[in-house]
Amino acid sequence: MPTSLDTINNSISIIDGSSSSSLHARSFRNSAPYADPHAQDPLQLVSSDDLCQNRTFEDGDYYCSRVDQVIYTNVAHDGDYREVAYMNDETGECRFAEVNHTFSGELAPFNEPVALIFRGPIHLKQLGIYTPDGTTYSRIGHYNAAQQTTKGISFLGNRGGEGSGAVSQTFGASLSFINPHATGGAASPQVLANEVITGEFVVMTDQDCDGSCGYVRPGSVAKKGFPGTSRIFLMEFSMPHTGGADMPAIWLENARVPLTQQYGACSCWTSGCGEWDVFEILHAGYERAETTLHLDPPAGDANWFQRPVDQNAPIKVVVWFDGGVDGGTASVKILGGSDGVVFGERLAEEEVGALKKRSKGVVSEIDYAVRRGEA
């Protein structure tokens, strides 16, 4: 998970999730139980050696070639993770279940509900989330910035205590509703403003949590994650330079994480419940975005996407999971510049096929089974 923007701005230290600050952060490099894949030789992490013949090493990370698509195959694997069973804001006690939560099946653990998270600076123009409906895909979540409309989604953030949610010295701020600028909390659902957002916000469904969410921190605004095995996320956005931290990112993570403690030790994150950084700027001011599967073991790609810095020239990107292809496939693909087309309520069979078709540009493909030592 990318380090929180508030942490970058305020230089809050990480102390096993138990800082006296109301903000808690976790750096993948510092706290994960395995090495940072970006800091390893990329020839071990990508399928095409040719893409990394002229690699560079900058600020502790490798960068290889600019690509238009990254594909992970054989993502599915069986495993387990530690599941939070109890949180006490007053005493700071965090208790995990005695028996680990197991996962299996197509695309596991990404076959569990996920939350979609954005870190600014980003101007999100459109968002569409789709799941299979026969041979077509139906939209289950939607946001249009220009029209100021949403359907099926909630904009949340770690702003507990500011109108909604909870806050404590130990666990920091829980999820809450956020104001339209993502600069503070709100008492009720709000529509994200049609502007560059410099903070961080979480997108989940508009459905209240029930037992399917797992444990939820008491007092948190708790919404369900996006369900399913095969899913399509359509996005239209730009990431302009604004100074300051200037490290935008988009990632998907197991919805159990933000429902407990997104930045801290009291969640299933460090034990491998699943996160995928789909479009992440690793260093302030950089214009090369990389992608990483945060699983155990991790799989990163040193090839990179071009950051869309011109606010007047957003790009469209598709992120998709397909449980029935190549042992479970996950992909992020640049579709090109904005064309003014509004994301529809349904994707026809031919549209789904076009979105999942291999890019005509440069493609990097990673076999995750090789990364696991199973192929």
Side-chain angles (χ1 to χ4, degrees), residues 271-282:
S271 57
C273 60
E275 175 179 311
W276 181 18
D277 295 335
V278 299
F279 203 97
E280 179 185 11
I281 301 299
L282 298 173

Side-chain angles (χ1 to χ4, degrees), residues 182-335:
T183 55
S188 61
Q190 306 289 311
V191 178
L192 194 70
N194 184 15
E195 64 186 26
V196 176
I197 301 298
T198 58
E200 182 179 299
F201 57 95
V202 180
V203 180
M204 301 179 81
T205 72
D206 60 356
Q207 303 171 32
D208 292 336
C209 266
D210 54 25
S212 66
C213 293
Y215 184 84
V216 173
R217 177 181 170 183
S220 175
V221 173
K223 301 294 182 178
K224 292 182 179 181
F226 299 106
T229 299
S230 296
R231 284 157 286 182
I232 290 176
F233 297 84
L234 280 176
M235 310 176 202
E236 181 181 3
F237 62 89
S238 62
M239 292 176 165
H241 292 294
T242 60
D246 197 17
M247 293 172 60
I250 302 170
W251 68 99
L252 290 155
E253 70 182 6
N254 194 302
R256 293 173 183 261
V257 176
L259 290 172
T260 49
Q261 188 183 24
Q262 186 175 341
Y263 294 107
C266 195
S267 80
C268 61
W269 191 89
T270 55
S271 57
C273 60
E275 175 179 311
W276 181 18
D277 295 335
V278 299
F279 203 97
E280 179 185 11
I281 301 299
L282 298 173
H283 304 285
Y286 274 42
E287 296 188 359
R288 289 166 290 179
E290 295 193 354
T291 173
T292 306
L293 288 179
H294 290 282
L295 297 172
D296 189 5
D301 195 340
N303 297 297
W304 51 273
F305 301 111
Q306 180 64 51
R307 171 180 172 176
V309 297
D310 187 349
Q311 190 177 346
N312 297 314
I315 62 171
K316 287 187 174 180
V317 172
V318 60
V319 176
W320 55 267
F321 296 96
D322 193 331
V325 176
D326 294 331
T329 299
S331 168
V332 52
K333 182 173 73 169
I334 308 298
L335 297 176

Side-chain angles (χ1 to χ4, degrees), residues 22-180:
S22 62
L23 294 170
H24 297 272
R26 172 174 67 247
S27 167
F28 176 76
R29 289 166 175 75
N30 292 338
S31 67
Y34 34 70
D36 180 350
H38 293 298
Q40 298 176 22
D41 187 336
L43 296 182
Q44 300 175 10
L45 300 173
V46 297
S47 62
S48 177
D49 290 354
D50 291 338
L51 291 176
C52 283
Q53 290 302 308
N54 297 312
R55 65 190 183 274
T56 61
F57 188 70
E58 303 174 37
D59 293 325
D61 292 299
Y62 280 102
Y63 292 91
C64 292
S65 300
R66 176 177 173 176
V67 296
D68 300 285
Q69 183 179 16
V70 173
I71 303 171
Y72 295 95
T73 59
N74 286 309
V75 176
H77 69 294
D78 297 346
D80 60 71
Y81 58 78
R82 299 179 71 203
E83 182 180 10
V84 176
Y86 176 75
M87 299 176 72
N88 189 313
D89 274 339
E90 294 183 1
T91 65
E93 181 184 3
C94 172
R95 190 184 309 156
F96 291 87
E98 293 184 2
V99 178
N100 285 357
H101 176 91
T102 59
F103 57 81
S104 62
E106 297 177 342
L107 280 170
F110 290 118
N111 54 3
E112 297 186 1
V114 296
L116 178 60
I117 305 172
F118 297 84
R119 183 180 70 202
I122 187 168
H123 190 172
L124 182 63
K125 302 292 290 184
Q126 287 194 86
L127 173 64
I129 301 103
Y130 300 81
T131 56
D133 184 9
T135 59
T136 65
Y137 273 60
S138 296
R139 194 177 70 193
I140 62 171
H142 177 63
Y143 166 67
N144 186 294
Q147 298 175 2
Q148 282 291 279
T149 56
T150 64
K151 186 174 182 180
I153 67 171
S154 300
F155 290 108
L156 308 172
N158 293 295
R159 297 283 182 172
E162 302 176 20
S164 58
V167 65
S168 73
Q169 286 293 315
T170 302
F171 299 123
S174 76
L175 282 183
S176 72
F177 296 115
I178 55 170
N179 65 33

Side-chain angles (χ1 to χ4, degrees), residues 3 7 12-19 24-28 30-31:
T3 304
T7 299
I12 297 172
S13 62
I14 304 169
I15 311 175
D16 298 327
S18 58
S19 167
H24 297 272
R26 172 174 67 247
S27 167
F28 176 76
N30 292 338
S31 67

